[in-house]
Amino acid sequence: MRLVKLLANLGYGTRKEVQIAIRNGWVTDRAGNALKADARTAHDDILFDDEPLDPAQGMVLLLNKPVGYTCSTKDQGRLVYDLLPDRFRYRKPVLSTVGRLDRDTTGALLFTDDGTLLHRIISPKADVPKVYEAVLDRPLKGDEAALFASGTFLLDNDEKPLLPAELEVLGEKHARLTLHEGRYHQVRRMFAATGNHVTALARVKIGNLTLDGLEEGKWRLLDAGDLAKVFGE
């Protein structure tokens, strides 16, 4: 791929803006040699403003999402993309969230520009479990674990029962819930159906991938080992 197209696809600017950057000598190889617009230098050997390029297509990153951010590129207010470098919004193929977390839910959120990988993660066939921790308004009654694990639990306005989910009691008003599907506001609706209300909710694990010390509002790129953890390997 020609250098101009490569940089534009990575979000470093429009083709015109990238051409200006190249003419100004801001795009070099690792030896410091300015590159030409038609250069076919290896991706890993290219620097933009003395910094290595972002990963090529197939990039996956993990964000520790704070409260108050929406998983959208167009909604009003604060968006999860505001927590990433601006150029990530303009990558081609587009960098998409892998599923969604609602505005008031925090924790592990994946992004990728690999459509095949995205669909593999969210596919029911992959059975990638998601683990949530919920803080509740009222004490647990004691029958929630059996109810959620039954495979017959039906939410309001749904015609299909939920898949069995595992509940671990962490405190009087604190629980960890492992889901094997992803329905709209599922955790909140499950507890609401028992007469309770979720006051705080965080996704703490996707497959075997955890936030592992990642600070709230921060992100990191994932490698092959991380992706293996997503699929429980």
Side-chain angles (χ1 to χ4, degrees):
M1 184 182 299
R2 294 181 68 245
L3 182 61
V4 171
K5 183 177 181 181
L6 170 65
L7 295 176
N9 285 355
L10 291 176
Y12 285 95
T14 64
R15 292 199 181 195
K16 183 177 180 179
E17 291 168 338
V18 167
Q19 287 172 339
I20 292 173
I22 292 172
R23 286 201 298 269
N24 288 340
W26 299 343
V27 185
T28 67
D29 60 20
R30 288 186 178 272
N33 302 307
L35 298 176
K36 302 296 184 181
D38 59 353
R40 295 183 180 274
T41 307
H43 188 108
D44 292 342
D45 197 35
I46 300 171
L47 303 180
F48 189 99
D49 200 17
D50 296 326
E51 294 291 335
L53 294 185
D54 297 326
Q57 182 182 356
M59 181 173 77
V60 187
L61 64 87
L62 172 68
L63 171 72
N64 187 350
K65 177 190 170 296
V67 166
Y69 287 82
T70 303
C71 292
S72 170
T73 58
K74 298 179 180 179
D75 288 355
Q76 298 295 318
R78 295 182 295 178
L79 309 177
V80 290
Y81 291 92
D82 297 339
L83 300 167
L84 307 177
D86 285 344
R87 62 184 179 275
F88 283 10
R89 297 176 189 249
Y90 307 110
R91 285 177 65 101
K92 296 177 183 179
V94 65
L95 183 67
S96 301
T97 62
V98 181
R100 296 168 66 93
L101 293 177
D102 66 51
R103 184 180 180 86
D104 295 321
T105 299
T106 65
L109 179 65
L110 295 176
F111 293 74
T112 186
D113 59 1
D114 184 336
T116 300
L117 175 63
L118 187 154
H119 290 294
R120 181 186 172 200
I121 294 172
I122 65 176
S123 170
K125 294 181 180 179
D127 188 22
V128 175
K130 284 84 173 179
V131 182
Y132 297 80
E133 289 192 8
V135 178
L136 305 168
D137 184 50
R138 301 180 183 89
L140 292 158
K141 294 185 291 186
D143 62 348
E144 292 90 352
L147 185 63
F148 294 165
S150 67
T152 60
F153 187 39
L154 192 65
L155 295 175
D156 288 344
N157 301 318
D158 281 4
E159 298 180 354
K160 182 179 179 181
L162 296 176
L163 294 177
E166 298 83 49
L167 178 76
E168 178 185 356
V169 176
L170 301 178
E172 184 182 45
K173 300 180 182 180
H174 189 192
R176 182 179 293 125
L177 185 63
T178 302
L179 302 184
H180 301 273
E181 58 189 326
R183 303 196 195 184
Y184 181 71
H185 287 173
Q186 183 173 341
V187 176
R188 298 180 187 278
R189 293 169 65 203
M190 289 172 72
F191 282 108
T194 69
N196 215 325
H197 173 71
V198 174
T199 60
L201 183 63
R203 183 158 67 192
V204 297
K205 195 175 182 182
I206 301 174
N208 286 329
L209 180 70
T210 67
L211 291 166
D212 191 25
L214 186 65
E215 294 181 12
E216 191 172 88
K218 302 298 183 181
W219 61 275
R220 68 176 180 87
L221 294 172
L222 301 189
D223 58 22
D226 294 316
L227 286 179
K229 291 179 181 178
V230 170
F231 295 105
E233 300 172 13

